[in-house]
């Protein structure tokens, strides 16, 4: 006796009724429905290309009145692509820093299992390029399931402080909205109206002078005409409105002769190219040594 199949219950067999051979009729066998053929992805691509071409022709021939037809066809094709496996599984961001990448992915607005072929890549690129970190963006679709977002990130130049607010700016003075100034403590500090627009002109000149940059606390824009350099020890260097590099060369020559940057000063005025005015730092008041109080007498 054959063994019972595990997990199935036994059902009693229906009793067999004998019929004469002359009257017995065999019922025609029913044909089982054939399984729907599954198209390969390459076949779907070929069919979709033909249908999209036809839809474009209808749209052009009707002067745009057939656009809703083309949209409906596009949605149907997008579903077929999704069935074929063309759904988003991975997003790769290239050229962006670790701080910028989350903002770029959020702006892209894509999600896992989104139909890959139905994405508007130009709209996606524009959303990514609107992110403050991004200077240029390019979006590439890699079938069957990957999206690549390649960006050129803006170079963070300085932290600009104005009207009680601090923001990070790039080398063209554009504000990087998503950047947290607190995380860019090593960037130069630029203060004052017009500072963002003109920082890119003065900072390359200062970077060539590491000894001065090491002492620099902030660049202060004065009347949106010229710069004051405020040093970490409180000293001030006043630059002219024009020929700033010539003035800095005068400062270098003065430092070579007298080591003034090391010795310290209160202010150096370089606004007049013919005269370098130096105000020395006032000497610290002398400290007066006081004798310790005598110990109290015994028995007092």
């Amino acid at each position: 006796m054959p063994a019972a199949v595990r997990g199935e219950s036994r059902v009693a067999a229906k009793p067999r009724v004998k019929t004469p051979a002359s009257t017995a009729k065999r019922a025609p066998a029913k044909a089982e429905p054939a399984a729907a053929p599954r198209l390969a992805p390459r076949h779907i691509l070929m069919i979709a290309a033909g249908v999209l071409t036809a839809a474009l022709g209808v749209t052009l021939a009707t002067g745009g009145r057939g656009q809703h037809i083309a949209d409906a066809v596009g949605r149907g094709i997008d579903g077929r692509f999704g069935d074929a496996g063309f759904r988003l599984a991975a997003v790769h961001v290239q050229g962006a820093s670790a701080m910028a990448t989350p903002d770029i992915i959020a702006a892209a607005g894509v999600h896992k299992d989104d139909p890959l072929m139905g994405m508007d890549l130009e709209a996606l690129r524009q959303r990514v390029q609107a992110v403050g970190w991004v200077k240029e963006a390019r979006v590439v679709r890699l079938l069957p399931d990957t999206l690549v977002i390649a960006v050129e990130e803006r170079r963070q130049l300085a932290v600009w402080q104005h009207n009680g607010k601090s923001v990070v700016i790039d080398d063209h003075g554009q504000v990087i909205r998503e950047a947290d100034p607190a995380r860019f403590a090593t960037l130069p500090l630029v203060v004052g109206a017009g500072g963002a627009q003109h920082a890119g002109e003065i900072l390359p000149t200062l970077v060539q002078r590491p000894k001065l940059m090491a002492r620099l606390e902030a660049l202060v824009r004065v009347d949106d005409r010229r710069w004051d350099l405020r040093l970490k020890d409180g000293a001030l260097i006043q630059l002219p409105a024009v020929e700033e590099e010539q003035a800095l060369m005068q400062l270098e020559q003065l430092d070579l002769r007298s080591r003034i940057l090391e010795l310290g000063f209160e202010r150096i005025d370089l606004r007049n190219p013919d005269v370098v005015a130096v105000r020395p730092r006032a000497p610290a008041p002398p400290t007066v040594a006081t004798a310790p109080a005598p110990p109290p007498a015994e028995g007092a």
Side-chain angles (χ1 to χ4, degrees):
M1 184 177 181
V5 179
R6 182 176 299 177
E8 293 184 359
S9 59
R10 291 188 177 183
V11 180
K14 186 178 180 180
R16 182 179 297 177
V17 178
K18 295 184 178 180
T19 57
S22 59
T23 61
K25 294 183 179 180
R26 179 174 295 178
K30 293 183 180 180
E32 295 183 359
R38 182 177 179 86
L39 295 178
R42 62 187 183 89
H43 293 152
I44 293 178
L45 284 172
M46 295 171 63
I47 295 171
V51 175
L52 285 175
T53 303
L56 178 60
V58 170
T59 303
L60 295 176
T62 57
R65 293 190 299 274
Q67 183 62 47
H68 66 284
I69 300 175
D71 292 341
V73 171
R75 288 192 295 271
I77 292 172
D78 192 27
R80 295 293 291 177
F81 278 131
D83 293 340
F86 297 117
R87 293 188 178 276
L88 184 63
V91 178
H92 297 309
V93 179
Q94 299 176 350
S97 64
M99 284 187 285
T101 297
D103 294 317
I104 291 171
I105 293 177
V110 295
H111 304 87
K112 189 176 184 297
D113 292 331
D114 282 351
L116 193 60
M117 296 300 294
M119 291 183 182
D120 186 340
L121 297 190
E122 176 57 23
L124 196 156
R125 186 192 69 81
Q126 291 180 8
R127 292 196 300 271
V128 170
Q129 197 154 312
V131 176
W133 298 102
V134 179
K135 184 177 182 180
E136 294 288 342
R138 186 167 60 94
V139 181
V140 178
R141 179 168 34 209
L142 296 181
L143 297 179
D145 59 3
T146 302
L147 195 68
V148 177
I149 303 175
V151 303
E152 180 184 353
E153 189 170 330
R154 296 185 185 277
R155 186 171 72 90
Q156 298 89 45
L157 179 71
V159 173
W160 178 40
Q161 190 179 89
H162 182 53
N163 288 336
K165 296 181 179 179
S166 296
V167 293
V168 178
I169 59 173
D170 70 359
D171 49 358
H172 294 284
Q174 297 294 319
V175 176
I176 303 175
R177 300 179 305 276
E178 298 84 358
D180 181 4
R183 303 182 69 178
F184 291 89
T186 59
L187 289 180
L189 176 62
V190 177
V191 180
Q197 291 75 19
H198 297 280
E201 302 166 3
I202 182 68
L203 274 172
T205 303
L206 291 173
V207 168
Q208 297 174 7
R209 296 163 168 85
K211 186 176 180 180
L212 179 59
M213 280 295 294
R215 291 169 167 77
L216 183 66
E217 181 181 22
L219 292 89
V220 182
R221 188 71 178 169
V222 180
D223 298 329
D224 200 10
R225 291 182 58 254
R226 63 174 195 84
W227 295 99
D228 281 350
L229 307 183
R230 190 172 68 206
L231 305 189
K232 295 175 182 178
D233 61 359
L236 192 68
I237 300 174
Q238 297 174 295
L239 296 180
V242 294
E243 297 184 351
E244 297 156 335
E245 188 165 7
Q246 291 294 112
L248 290 172
M249 289 175 65
Q250 287 182 309
L251 178 63
E252 286 178 317
Q253 293 171 1
L254 179 62
D255 186 54
L256 285 174
R257 294 194 302 266
S258 62
R259 298 189 308 156
I260 193 168
L261 291 178
E262 297 177 18
L263 296 175
F265 54 90
E266 184 175 329
R267 186 179 68 179
I268 296 180
D269 190 346
L270 300 170
R271 290 175 292 178
N272 186 343
D274 299 324
V275 178
V276 176
V278 179
R279 179 183 297 176
R281 180 166 293 160
T287 57
V288 179
T290 57
E298 294 183 5

